Amino acid sequence: MRIGIFDSGVGGITVLHEALKQLPMEDYIYYADTLHVPYGPKPKEEVRTYISNAVEFIVEQQVKAVVIACNTATSVSIDELRAHYDIPIIGMEPAVKPAVEHNRRGNTRVLVTATALTLKEEKLQNLITKLDNEHIVDLLALPALVDFAEELEFSEEVVLPYLREQLQGYDWSHYETVVLGCTHFSFYKDMFRKLLPEGIHIIDGNRGTVKHLKRTLAEAGALHKGSGNLVFYQSGVRVEAAAELEKYGRLLKRLDQIQI
């Protein structure tokens, strides 16, 4: 029984990378919905249909859990998926809670970055309303980072000017934490680090999500049932071409190289 990891594209590779570190002896299916990426700019009902079809396919592959390694997909569909399937469906959400709890002590602000759809979804808005009593959370959509990651564009000459332009309007003396609320964004942690003051914490939800997965499997007595086998699918088609497999290898290697 394998673990399914789903994303609209390559962003969930950042979650897979963390899973391979914490749970190296599991078997994995990674499903990228490459025919429909990106989800962020699309209408909610259209995205919900893509997610439903993808997760149905993954569950048919005899998985013991599915990680929705996409903040947008989680915000749009997680409740419906959990109601429909009897295996664990692990969702993701921007790491607002730890950021707010940490920053409240110092009376500093939090910047949550994500896709436009995640930022306007009711799930995130309700989370912020519940946690942010002191109104210290600001929101910033960074849609181009999704496009860059899907194109395997990690050149500082291309990405840094975009990030610099988007981040330049903030007085960073009032901030302490930046939340990377889209799994694609974690490919660019090192570039955020180059642009942000040293005292700014940069966090994502990947480690916490995999810890939750690990705890859920342990409670079900379903940990460590594999051998580290990894299979990739793109919109329902198994990836077997060497060039495509090499692409995923490059993405995992990219994450190995980010040390912050």
Side-chain angles (χ1 to χ4, degrees), residues 29-180:
I29 290 174
Y30 183 85
Y31 185 111
D33 192 12
T34 51
L35 288 180
H36 305 116
V37 67
Y39 283 173
K42 292 182 170 64
K44 184 164 114 175
E45 289 308 315
E46 181 180 340
V47 170
R48 184 174 282 139
T49 298
Y50 298 149
I51 296 164
S52 176
N53 292 339
V55 174
E56 182 177 359
F57 178 89
I58 295 168
V59 171
E60 287 174 353
Q61 311 311 305
Q62 302 298 307
V63 295
K64 59 185 176 181
V66 178
V67 180
I68 308 300
C70 173
N71 293 275
T72 299
T74 298
S75 64
V76 167
S77 292
I78 194 68
D79 292 335
E80 291 88 345
L81 293 173
R82 286 174 174 160
H84 188 69
Y85 296 105
D86 59 4
I87 62 171
I89 306 290
I90 309 295
M92 295 197 70
E93 61 187 18
V96 175
K97 183 177 181 179
V100 168
E101 290 177 348
H102 176 81
N103 285 47
R104 187 183 288 128
R105 294 193 293 271
N107 196 30
T108 51
R109 302 194 65 77
V110 174
L111 180 65
V112 177
T113 67
T115 66
L117 184 53
T118 295
L119 293 180
K120 70 183 181 183
E121 261 302 297
E122 184 178 355
K123 184 175 178 63
L124 178 61
Q125 293 297 326
N126 288 343
L127 179 66
I128 292 173
T129 299
K130 177 182 177 182
L131 296 172
D132 188 22
N133 299 324
E134 298 172 18
H135 306 291
I136 63 172
V137 174
D138 296 314
L139 306 175
L140 175 64
L142 293 172
L145 288 187
V146 176
D147 297 328
F148 288 150
E150 291 299 323
E151 295 162 5
L152 274 64
E153 178 57 81
F154 303 119
S155 165
E156 291 188 355
E157 289 77 14
V158 174
V159 180
L160 281 179
Y162 169 74
L163 276 180
R164 186 176 290 112
E165 179 182 8
Q166 298 301 312
L167 298 173
Q168 67 182 357
Y170 295 89
D171 181 352
W172 294 106
S173 66
H174 297 302
Y175 289 81
E176 193 169 349
T177 306
V178 171
V179 177
L180 305 185

